[in-house]
Amino acid sequence: MKQIIRNIFGPKPKIVRHQQNQFETALAFKVISPLSNITLANEMMEANHKDSDMKLFSDIIRRNCNRINQLVIDTRVNEMSFVFAEK
């Protein structure tokens, strides 16, 4: 069962939740857009270079792009869970 962390000062005011949501959405967009470009460039590089060193570096780039993407997704899902639980 998922444990939800509650604010010791009571529920967040609606305006604070709204501003927090706007900030997180903007941050996610600012991270996802360049991350998509990096991922696409890496895929193009993989398709054009079969060198083993290039493949190693490309794998590192791909894994870390996936990790960053998953962090953004997890953050958004956790925030949505918290907001739904407060109501």
Side-chain angles (χ1 to χ4, degrees):
M1 180 174 204
K2 186 176 181 179
Q3 182 181 12
I4 298 173
I5 300 171
R6 300 205 187 282
N7 186 338
I8 62 171
F9 301 109
K12 293 178 190 175
K14 191 173 189 175
I15 188 74
V16 173
R17 286 195 314 260
H18 178 70
Q19 288 173 340
Q20 181 180 0
N21 189 34
Q22 282 185 320
F23 173 77
E24 290 171 351
T25 300
L27 183 62
F29 180 75
K30 299 271 186 195
V31 170
I32 294 296
S33 292
L35 192 58
S36 296
N37 292 334
I38 293 168
T39 301
L40 179 60
N42 190 51
E43 288 172 3
M44 297 297 289
M45 188 174 64
E46 283 180 335
N48 293 324
H49 298 304
K50 300 300 178 190
D51 181 328
S52 62
D53 286 340
M54 269 308 214
K55 181 162 176 37
L56 173 66
F57 297 140
S58 180
D59 287 343
I60 292 168
I61 293 169
R62 186 177 353 91
R63 281 195 318 266
N64 284 287
C65 284
N66 290 338
R67 287 175 59 198
I68 294 167
N69 190 48
Q70 193 60 49
L71 284 171
V72 171
I73 291 168
D74 290 347
T75 299
R76 297 297 298 153
V77 168
N78 288 339
E79 176 59 24
M80 287 176 8
S81 299
F82 181 74
V83 170
F84 292 143
E86 281 186 334
K87 292 182 180 178

